[in-house]
Amino acid sequence: MHKLLLLGDEAIAQGAIDAGLSGVYAYPGTPSTEITEYIQGSKLARERNIHSKWSANEKTAMETALGMSYAGKRAMTCMKHVGLNVAADAFINAAITGVNGGLVVVVADDPSMHSSQNEQDSRVYGKFAMISILEPHNQQEAYDMAYHAFELSEKHALPVMIRLTTRLAHSRAGVIRKPLLDQNNSSLPKDPTQFVLLPAFARRNYKHLLSTRPDLEQVSTESPYNWMIDGHDKSLGIVACGITYNYLMENFKDRELNHPVLKLSQYPMPRSIINQLINECDEILVLEDGYPVIEELLKGYQEAGTPIHGRLDGTLPRDGELNPNIVASAFNLPVEEGFPVPDLVKSRPPAMCKGCGHIDAYKALNIALEEYGPGRVFADIGCYTLGALPPYNAINSCVDMGASITMAKGATDAGLNPSVAVIGDSTFTHSGMTGLLDAVSEKTPITVIISDNFTTGMTGGQDSQALGHLESIIQGIGVEPEHIRVFKPTSANLDEMVEIMREELKYQGVSVIIPRRQCIQTLRNKSLVHKVKELGL
């Protein structure tokens, strides 16, 4: 088969397509977004009628993918690490229901928090769910894992997680494709109670899940993704997980690696191989991009008291992503530094685009709140989060998707009145609607600003589920129509915006203000512009 130059994300997408994928379900989130976008842009995927529309959030994506699996088809759901928190309920229970068609859950973690609120390690979730986890070390392995993961899922009737990190997701390498497989035929589960998690069925399913553990461990032991490299210097054994194997080997391109190495890319851990390494070596160094997951397990696995080194004892930094230089330092090897970063580009904090409608909305909000004082604005995840930075200094929180409305409600319940929530149109339909429902149910006096730019702007302009439906959703939740205020956020409209905000801040009930103007980055997208005009927005 021919060779393609692909991002790690794209390699996973192509591997899934070639493996007979019938549907991908996702909500955009860096560094996972390009997986679904690649499938959306694939001519082959369109010819095969592979579903690839965006979901409202990661929970709905996970559940819809499980529904496709129930019907016997091969499905994949993709998200970033914090998105797995949103999908966790369905993700954990999917291991208990098991699957019918192959189900692959791809999670892209973000060590060093390049574009995230935390750097949690999704392997912890996979271990919690007691399913197989695959962690590629390069793009070819990412493709191969996606290609074979569906077969692994169907063989054991369990979901399979593929976990990758930012550097692999967003770097390119050549990938050799495998033969294109047919999609599964539709089929219903043989056991009609398999997906019914009433306690009686769930207890039975859970016992079955526990019984699969030895089989999954044996599969890891025999996995082509896990291998040992022997070394004559047994004073140290090395465990390199996923992409850290690359970081290790980059330090030994021109020098001999004398220590035994276990390259680990499939979990649960192959205990027999681990024990062999521990028994042979005086000490163990664990390289893993993320939490000290394997390091902690090794400290509990072995009984001989072999010292285990890694992130927990300071041999490697406890936080942030690894890289070849950090690994070199752990071996006391010389570190190769590049040229100094020029002062011109050293500090380049993210900023809202010039002409962005969010800017004008924040200017108006700051003026409207002058009489009340600072500390009253709870924001959410999106481009508008950059309003926390100078010169706007307009927001006081950013915790997780949808938290703006609920935090504003809680602050109001505590006596902070007025309290304001700022949320984007896509984030509102992701996880803001239920918070608004709480506020409406209790008639909590909060002002919610839904900054509507017709898209999911922060991750590149994907479709927003709110497009054309925002007012009807808000009215359906129960906000009084006269307190749903819409305006176009421009400098010319500043006085009008300030006056509307002042009026709604005084209102002792739930009010929603919608500053509405298309994202300037998507104005070049003719299909979106046409859709916006069709909807009369």
Side-chain angles (χ1 to χ4, degrees), residues 30 115 350 381-386 453 455-462 519:
T30 305
S115 59
I381 309 295
C383 301
Y384 47 88
T385 313
L386 299 172
N453 62 359
T455 191
T456 310
M458 181 65 96
T459 49
Q462 295 80 19
C519 169

Side-chain angles (χ1 to χ4, degrees), residues 55-133:
S55 301
N57 63 32
E58 295 86 359
K59 181 177 184 289
T60 64
M62 178 73 214
E63 292 162 346
T64 315
L66 184 61
M68 179 169 276
S69 168
Y70 173 95
K73 299 279 191 173
R74 290 185 166 183
M76 181 167 70
T77 180
C78 313
M79 61 204 71
K80 67 184 293 176
H81 59 298
V82 289
L84 187 53
N85 296 334
V86 180
D89 197 7
F91 171 73
I92 297 298
N93 285 347
I96 299 176
T97 64
V99 304
N100 187 18
L103 176 59
V104 176
V105 182
V106 184
V107 190
D109 289 356
D110 190 20
S112 285
M113 295 179 267
H114 296 286
S115 59
S116 308
Q117 310 97 288
N118 68 39
E119 56 178 45
Q120 71 190 47
D121 192 321
S122 298
R123 293 177 299 168
V124 176
Y125 266 117
K127 179 177 178 294
F128 188 31
M130 294 183 286
I131 62 174
S132 290
I133 308 166

Side-chain angles (χ1 to χ4, degrees), residues 248-258 328 333-334 336:
L248 173 68
M249 300 312 293
E250 283 184 32
N251 280 287
F252 291 92
K253 290 180 293 188
D254 53 358
R255 57 172 67 93
E256 187 177 357
L257 179 55
N258 298 319
L333 297 173
E336 296 183 10

Side-chain angles (χ1 to χ4, degrees), residues 207-259:
K207 286 181 183 294
H208 174 71
L209 175 61
L210 293 173
S211 74
T212 65
R213 195 69 182 176
D215 292 338
L216 297 184
E217 192 171 306
Q218 184 60 35
V219 170
S220 292
T221 302
E222 299 168 355
S223 171
Y225 309 124
N226 295 335
W227 64 72
M228 281 281 290
I229 302 173
D230 199 13
H232 61 79
D233 186 352
K234 309 290 186 181
S235 63
L236 180 69
I238 304 165
V239 179
C241 305
I243 196 173
T244 67
Y245 179 75
N246 291 10
Y247 299 155
L248 173 68
M249 300 312 293
E250 283 184 32
N251 280 287
F252 291 92
K253 290 180 293 188
D254 53 358
R255 57 172 67 93
E256 187 177 357
L257 179 55
N258 298 319
H259 302 293

